[in-house]
Amino acid sequence: VVPLLSGEVSVAAVNGPQSVVLSGPKKAVEKIRRRVPGRTKTLKVSHAFHSALMDPMLDDFAAVVGGLTLNPPVLPLVSNVTGRAETDLFTDPRYWVRHVREAVRFHDGLAATGAARFLEVGPDAVLTAMTGDRTAAAALRKGRDEVTTLLSSVGRMWAAGQHVDWTAVVRGARTELPTYPFQRKRFWVDATTGATDPAALGVGPADHPLLRTATDLPGAGGRLFTGRLSLDEQPWLADHAVLGATLAPGSALVDLALHAGAASGVPHLEELTLGAPLVLAPSGALALQVAVGPDEDGRRAVTIHTGHEDGTWARHASGFLTATPAPAGADLAAWPPPGAQPVDVSGAYPAVAERGYHYGPVFQGLRAAWRAGDDIYAEVALPEQAHADAARFGLHPALLDATMHATLPGLLGGEDAATAIPFAWNHVTLHAIGATALRVRVRRTGGDAMALELADVAGHPVMSVGGMVGRPVSPDQLAAPASPVGGALYEVRWRPAPASVSGGALPSVVHECVTPDGDVPAVTRALTHEVLAAVQHHLAADTAERLIVVTRNAVAESPDVAQAAVWGLVRAAQAENPGRIVLADLDTGAAVDVAALSAVDEAEFAVRDGAVLVPRLENVAEAGAEPPDFGDGTVLVTGGTGGIGAVVARHLVAECGVRDLLLTGRRGPQAPGAGELVEE
């Protein structure tokens, strides 16, 4: 960008190989911006820092800093001015004047640290998003619970290999995970020291949230981009479900194609036809490949595939990219549009949920809507938690998807229309990147086709879509792919405890549960309230002793219902306070031997005829057992309307022959996908 600069505009920051900030008078900056269309965004700041516009205040600022006492840093500190580790420089008042005026060399500073992991200590995740492929976490995030965010960031560092003194982080923590000794049977492959840096693997970085590598293909001149898709790595995708299936939105495929095209010199999407829906399973990951073909008369083919662990591949989209830009986007500066009538969208998402569109917080972007003749206008915005990713996408898929929400059946008409998803996109041009809020104009062009014009909050063009066509979809078409686990069925079984779980008595106190007389609901409430009070009292005391909650026949083949409920309650408390609470189940009439119970170092165990049993997860087939036969009985599935519960329900019907199901859940029939699951 340096050749583009005038004397008025300065480089304010170098944040990454493809991330540079310019600062100066607005007109001069806008002039440069027009020379690089589609590659810029505007930052909201109070002053044009690090530019000549700061010069009038530098003398006064130097006088203020000159009156301060400046000491060398105690910890190693990298300068944002020099991009190197410094010591004496920070005690020079002139350095802080340079800090206001000169460019921020954040990218150089990252490299100078030599660190593999970064923890951002500040009011929000501003810098974390600019660390590239490095492991990074923010200790605070705007609008999120502080304790949860801090502990999550520390946990992320620990998972990445950073040593953490958990006794200092979590008061009372005394054990290392996992919380019981593993048996000498390994279920995972030993770690290797293979290269993870793309350059070390002979490829380049893809610089996209869903893609990891990019490489040129020899011969014909194609280009291949690879990545992974999973709800573990991209949890925000779980907020997009259609007819009960978690579905990667068509907007994500459009963004992948545009990114691949921009990196290949053909940034404009002439057409993209969607094939098989990209359904994401609750667990496991899909290999992702975006391929750009060789140049053929100014066009290059683009395809998007995902691969499963069994070696099978599915094509989800194909189309063509060109270097010829579409016409400039519409100017939506006049807002709201003259003559447009406002539409109430306060109940939009419950309304469209009845049609099978289930959107979580990240995808609930519709803020306002208007109608002018056949045209629909709308305002959409990303929630705060998605802002950090917005700059890494061309246009965040959740924001692009939200531009079409005002057109969904049940909101602005078309109540009888079938549930549909995007099928074909034509003439898509990205004018600017990194938007977090948009103005939208949707114009019907015939049948199910529509054209979209997207602009930022000032009315400047962000994206143009010449045509988007939807097609109806059914639950059968969105059937989830087979689980990558391989179909194994697991079950918790009680086995004799190994000798290693018993030893010296651990400091413990015992609370014994006694089922009172009465009807089951009243007895269950009374006993669980009693145990809740005992657990809360123990945790509040902050003692080093464990609390052993003793039940009778709570986990027996014919359980005491009230005592079994105690296990559900205490397990939740155990998850929040690891190592402080133990569950022990005894036979009816067995004496409570505090010393013997205190000698068992397990979170859960049962004592039957004097023998200690512990729960272990086993493969049913390997254990030589057949799947359970439920006969003609009713099978109760708690959480049965959720994602995992729905899978269990389908398995019970299809594989176990169950014909009488009772599905319960916190949201009951109102849970997303519950109605469709019942019909299925």
Side-chain angles (χ1 to χ4, degrees):
V1 299
V2 172
L4 303 178
L5 301 182
S6 64
E8 298 178 290
V9 180
S10 304
V11 175
V14 180
N15 294 324
Q18 296 180 335
S19 178
V20 176
V21 181
L22 302 184
S23 180
K26 184 175 181 179
K27 289 184 178 179
V29 173
E30 284 294 328
K31 184 177 180 180
I32 296 175
R33 180 176 182 167
R34 288 193 294 270
R35 297 182 64 182
V36 284
R39 300 173 62 188
T40 66
K41 68 174 181 177
T42 302
L43 301 181
K44 294 181 180 179
V45 294
S46 59
H47 297 75
F49 295 108
H50 312 291
S51 78
L53 292 182
M54 303 306 297
D55 290 348
M57 58 81 68
L58 294 181
D59 290 342
D60 290 342
F61 185 69
V64 172
V65 178
L68 303 178
T69 300
L70 304 176
N71 297 311
V74 177
L75 300 175
L77 186 61
V78 175
S79 166
N80 269 343
V81 174
T82 67
R84 302 185 301 269
E86 305 285 358
T87 303
D88 297 334
L89 191 61
F90 300 115
T91 62
D92 184 351
R94 292 172 297 179
Y95 168 78
W96 299 103
V97 178
R98 292 175 58 195
H99 204 287
V100 175
R101 180 61 178 85
E102 296 183 17
V104 175
R105 297 189 172 277
F106 180 74
H107 177 59
D108 293 338
L110 282 182
T113 66
R117 296 178 289 274
F118 293 86
L119 180 66
E120 179 174 356
V121 182
D124 205 354
V126 178
L127 303 177
T128 297
M130 297 190 293
T131 57
D133 294 331
R134 301 172 177 88
T135 299
L140 291 173
R141 284 180 179 266
K142 182 180 178 181
R144 297 192 187 182
D145 178 76
E146 293 184 1
V147 174
T148 301
T149 304
L150 176 60
L151 292 181
S152 297
S153 65
V154 175
R156 179 175 174 81
M157 293 293 104
W158 176 80
Q162 178 66 39
H163 171 72
V164 174
D165 181 1
W166 286 107
T167 59
V169 178
V170 182
R171 183 175 58 184
R174 295 185 299 277
T175 59
E176 290 291 332
L177 295 178
T179 54
Y180 67 87
F182 274 107
Q183 297 170 339
R184 295 295 181 181
K185 184 176 182 181
R186 296 183 180 272
F187 291 92
W188 55 85
V189 178
D190 288 336
T192 63
T193 56
T196 57
D197 177 59
L201 298 173
V203 294
D207 195 25
H208 188 275
L210 303 182
L211 299 170
R212 296 183 179 180
T213 71
T215 185
D216 292 323
L217 300 177
R223 192 165 174 82
L224 180 66
F225 303 80
T226 67
R228 278 164 52 93
L229 287 180
S230 76
L231 297 184
D232 287 333
E233 297 181 42
Q234 296 94 18
W236 57 273
L237 288 172
D239 284 358
H240 185 270
V242 178
L243 298 177
T246 302
L247 186 67
S251 55
L253 304 184
V254 169
D255 187 75
L256 286 169
L258 286 171
H259 177 83
S264 305
V266 279
H268 307 288
L269 185 58
E270 183 177 277
E271 64 178 74
L272 189 72
T273 303
L274 276 56
L278 206 170
V279 179
L280 297 167
S283 61
L286 298 173
L288 174 64
Q289 287 193 358
V290 182
V292 177
D295 183 270
E296 296 182 3
D297 297 326
R299 296 202 314 172
R300 300 181 72 172
V302 60
T303 57
I304 301 175
H305 290 79
T306 62
H308 299 264
E309 291 188 357
D310 61 3
T312 60
W313 288 83
R315 185 169 73 177
H316 302 286
S318 60
F320 292 95
L321 298 155
T322 71
T324 304
D331 183 354
L332 298 181
W335 199 262
Q341 299 300 311
V343 177
D344 181 14
V345 297
S346 58
Y349 289 102
V352 299
E354 295 179 1
R355 309 295 306 191
Y357 303 97
H358 304 291
Y359 297 113
V362 173
F363 280 81
Q364 292 184 7
L366 183 62
R367 298 291 182 264
W370 296 263
R371 171 168 263 162
D374 292 333
D375 290 351
I376 296 172
Y377 296 85
E379 290 179 355
V380 297
L382 277 177
E384 187 73 28
Q385 65 264 32
H387 283 195
D389 278 343
R392 301 178 63 207
F393 287 101
L395 183 61
H396 197 294
L399 190 61
L400 177 54
D401 190 83
T403 64
M404 298 171 282
H405 291 181
T407 68
L408 294 177
L411 182 60
L412 299 183
E415 286 78 0
D416 296 330
T419 302
I421 59 176
F423 169 66
W425 299 73
N426 295 284
H427 303 295
V428 182
T429 300
L430 185 64
H431 304 292
I433 64 173
T436 58
L438 296 172
R439 296 175 178 178
V440 185
R441 184 187 73 194
V442 182
R443 176 163 291 170
R444 297 286 182 181
T445 57
D448 294 329
M450 63 183 72
L452 294 87
E453 292 291 349
L454 284 53
D456 62 19
V457 293
H460 301 139
V462 170
M463 177 181 280
S464 301
V465 180
M468 195 286 294
V469 180
R471 69 173 178 185
V473 67
S474 68
D476 290 341
Q477 292 172 293
L478 300 180
S483 169
V485 175
L489 183 63
Y490 293 87
E491 184 175 83
V492 175
R493 295 177 181 266
W494 292 86
R495 297 304 186 200
S500 59
V501 306
S502 298
L506 301 171
S508 306
V509 294
V510 171
H511 179 85
E512 187 175 0
C513 299
V514 178
T515 304
D517 294 330
D519 63 275
V520 171
V523 166
T524 302
R525 281 193 295 271
L527 188 56
T528 51
H529 278 260
E530 170 202 319
V531 173
L532 177 61
V535 169
Q536 290 174 331
H537 176 76
H538 175 76
L539 296 175
D542 196 25
T543 176
E545 296 176 313
R546 301 185 308 170
L547 173 64
I548 302 178
V549 179
V550 176
T551 58
R552 311 274 181 173
N553 289 326
V555 291
E557 289 193 11
S558 299
D560 181 313
V561 175
Q563 300 262 342
V566 169
W567 275 59
L569 169 68
V570 174
R571 277 172 172 156
Q574 286 177 322
E576 298 169 355
N577 302 274
R580 301 196 63 191
I581 311 170
V582 174
L583 280 164
D585 193 57
L586 308 183
D587 292 320
T588 301
V592 176
D593 186 338
V594 177
L597 296 177
S598 300
V600 181
D601 189 11
E602 286 274 326
E604 300 176 6
F605 63 93
V607 180
R608 297 290 184 262
D609 297 326
V612 177
L613 306 178
V614 291
R616 294 293 185 261
L617 196 65
E618 295 182 356
N619 188 312
V620 171
E622 291 181 359
E626 294 294 328
D629 181 5
F630 295 95
D632 296 328
T634 298
V635 177
L636 166 66
V637 183
T638 58
T641 58
I644 296 177
V647 174
V648 171
R650 292 187 182 98
H651 181 86
L652 289 169
V653 173
E655 304 297 332
C656 301
V658 172
R659 292 296 177 266
D660 194 355
L661 282 172
L662 176 58
L663 309 180
T664 68
R666 285 174 293 176
R667 288 176 287 181
Q670 284 71 45
E676 293 83 353
L677 181 63
V678 171
E679 292 177 6
E680 180 184 345

